[in-house]
Amino acid sequence: MSFNELITAPLRRLDDGLYELVKGINILDSVSPVNYRPEKVAFFESNFSKSPDFLYSTQKVDSFCLKRSLFNLPVDELAEDQLSQLYSEVIESYVDKIDQYKSIGTPDFLYESLRYYGEPSEKDIRNANFILHLPDLDPNDDRILASDEIVTRLEAFAQSEGYQYQIKLDDSMIANALVSGLTVKVNSAAQASETEVNALAHHELGVHLVTTLNARSQPLKILTMGCPVNTMTQEGLAILSEYLAGCMTLPRLKVLALRVLAVESMIEENDFKKTFLLLKEQHNVADEQAFTITARVYRGGGLTKDYLYLQGLHQMLNAYENRPDFNNLLSGKVSIEHLPVITGLIDKGYLLKPELISPAIAHPVDNDAIQKFITHAIK
């Protein structure tokens, strides 16, 4: 049966209607502080005694009306059970996201973040401490690249893979780079080694941009909106790609481990200064990096998603080595929990197999024994 026969008028109306209702809800874009740099300066000038007061630019939403509109979407008109399951769960996920979005910059945001992303388990803490206790290897003597050189490297990567993209410098970012839609944003203050920039390319472009492009090539918009709580899968895929590309370093893994402990501290203490000093004094993290890690987990009012990266790597490495339908995770913003449903819908012709495959996944390098041991030891 062709797409035109499968994609019935009710399914198309549902898909388009859901997309129109939720397309303005983007949590990660919205928790980027508009005053990040001045608050960072003020924090250092106060000798770490004045916690930042981050401000955010968000659109007001009528949460009651938006939720009612979502629940009124005609999911019950779908004849295919896997489609009904997927659309119902995506709608329920966005109902939770609306509460999260509405609470950005308020004390309620931490509660909504915990409800949506969860919090580190004892296993997550053990993984983090295992990595942090590993002996440091010989320092990398890579050349350090500034933001303009990072842009050049990312552009070359995107062009070599034939990706559709836009790239721009951004003055208010915490991360060195991120993908929002088809736009690759690079922090204008970013500095990174050549190995780090290579990892950044495979992470941001090779996964986050690839899954965006694959989602946009689908006959339905549902994978652009994304499966519920797909963050662990998507970030796990991105970290896995760094590893498969041969540019995963122990310092990088230690940053991911520190994020887990920062999230734990934020939940327990809810005090920016204490989390910053925990990283600085107990783990000997440099001031700049300690601030970046702390700001990431306190943005929005308390964003717990940063503990997911190590667990995501473990899940994706296991899936990469054991799941025959692994590449279907690249077909859009898919979560590992929904992979059976997505594979079923691909097999039935409602969705397409991913057109673009992350280069590190398509052509992995053979990592050395130490890298293999460390990566596989994360449980």
Side-chain angles (χ1 to χ4, degrees):
M1 207 179 274
S2 69
F3 284 126
N4 290 335
E5 293 172 302
L6 284 170
I7 311 300
T8 61
L11 174 55
R12 177 65 65 198
R13 284 196 298 271
L14 169 62
D15 189 67
D16 289 343
L18 177 56
Y19 179 76
E20 287 302 314
L21 286 172
V22 304
K23 65 182 181 181
I25 305 296
N26 188 316
I27 301 297
L28 293 185
D29 278 353
S30 301
V31 295
S32 181
V34 296
N35 60 340
Y36 174 72
R37 290 194 181 177
E39 286 301 301
K40 178 180 177 181
V41 170
F43 180 74
F44 282 106
E45 288 181 345
S46 74
N47 196 27
F48 321 136
S49 65
K50 178 182 176 295
S51 293
D53 182 16
F54 291 135
L55 302 175
Y56 307 92
S57 176
T58 56
Q59 302 291 325
K60 288 190 175 181
V61 296
D62 186 331
S63 58
F64 176 80
C65 288
L66 185 50
K67 290 179 186 179
R68 182 172 60 184
S69 297
L70 286 170
F71 284 129
N72 283 338
L73 289 169
V75 179
D76 55 353
E77 294 182 13
L78 299 178
E80 168 56 54
D81 288 343
Q82 286 183 317
L83 278 177
S84 297
Q85 177 189 346
L86 182 59
Y87 277 92
S88 295
E89 292 178 3
V90 169
I91 287 169
E92 290 173 2
S93 173
Y94 268 96
V95 168
D96 288 339
K97 278 190 176 183
I98 290 165
D99 289 333
Q100 195 180 7
Y101 180 85
K102 187 178 178 182
S103 66
I104 290 172
T106 75
D108 290 338
F109 184 78
L110 175 56
Y111 166 75
E112 299 297 342
S113 182
L114 286 165
R115 196 158 65 94
Y116 191 77
Y117 297 111
E119 61 183 301
S121 66
E122 289 184 10
K123 182 172 70 173
D124 294 317
I125 302 300
R126 286 198 302 270
N127 281 332
N129 284 319
F130 160 72
I131 290 170
L132 291 171
H133 283 90
L134 291 170
D136 292 326
L137 304 175
D138 292 335
N140 194 313
D141 59 358
D142 280 359
R143 188 167 67 89
I144 300 299
L145 307 181
S147 58
D148 57 340
E149 294 176 290
I150 294 173
V151 167
T152 300
R153 296 293 181 95
L154 296 183
E155 284 183 328
F157 185 96
Q159 290 168 8
S160 70
E161 297 296 328
Y163 298 155
Q164 179 187 357
Y165 74 99
Q166 296 175 325
I167 193 162
K168 70 175 187 178
L169 290 170
D170 191 296
D171 293 333
S172 60
M173 289 174 57
I174 299 175
N176 278 338
L178 60 83
V179 170
S180 178
L182 299 183
T183 301
V184 182
K185 299 179 181 179
V186 176
N187 190 329
S188 59
Q191 290 187 320
S193 72
E194 292 186 277
T195 299
E196 290 170 332
V197 173
N198 192 24
L200 200 62
H202 284 281
H203 183 118
E204 298 294 343
L205 306 183
V207 172
H208 293 322
L209 183 59
V210 157
T211 53
T212 296
L213 291 168
N214 284 335
R216 293 192 178 200
S217 71
Q218 294 286 350
L220 296 168
K221 298 184 180 74
I222 189 71
L223 294 189
T224 294
M225 293 175 270
C227 295
V229 198
N230 62 71
T231 305
M232 184 179 293
T233 298
Q234 293 296 311
E235 297 299 352
L237 283 170
I239 300 298
L240 176 67
S241 285
E242 295 182 35
Y243 168 70
L244 295 177
C247 46
M248 173 64 74
T249 65
L250 184 54
R252 168 63 163 160
L253 283 173
K254 288 192 173 185
V255 168
L256 301 181
L258 289 166
R259 290 179 184 176
V260 176
L261 300 187
V263 171
E264 181 191 36
S265 170
M266 183 264 293
I267 294 169
E268 292 181 353
E269 303 281 358
N270 200 15
D271 186 322
F272 189 103
K273 303 185 299 298
K274 289 183 178 179
T275 301
F276 173 86
L277 291 172
L278 167 76
L279 300 178
K280 175 181 168 63
E281 296 175 353
Q282 293 190 30
H283 297 282
N284 299 311
V285 181
D287 292 354
E288 288 282 334
Q289 188 174 70
F291 185 88
T292 298
I293 293 171
T294 307
R296 283 180 61 100
V297 304
Y298 278 85
R299 56 186 161 159
L303 186 66
T304 64
K305 73 174 275 288
D306 270 8
Y307 86 89
L308 296 170
Y309 286 70
L310 286 180
Q311 190 58 225
L313 171 59
H314 165 68
Q315 285 191 5
M316 290 306 101
L317 183 60
N318 182 62
Y320 173 74
E321 294 176 343
N322 295 291
R323 295 290 292 261
D325 58 350
F326 173 82
N327 281 2
N328 288 343
L329 290 169
L330 300 171
S331 58
K333 303 304 180 181
V334 177
S335 65
I336 188 69
E337 293 80 6
H338 288 81
L339 181 56
V341 171
I342 299 303
T343 296
L345 292 173
I346 288 173
D347 291 344
K348 292 170 184 175
Y350 288 97
L351 297 171
L352 297 170
K353 283 186 171 292
E355 179 180 348
L356 299 170
I357 302 298
S358 306
I361 292 171
H363 306 288
V365 305
D366 187 19
N367 277 283
D368 63 40
I370 294 176
Q371 288 286 8
K372 288 179 181 177
F373 167 77
I374 293 172
T375 307
H376 283 81
I378 299 168
K379 302 300 182 183

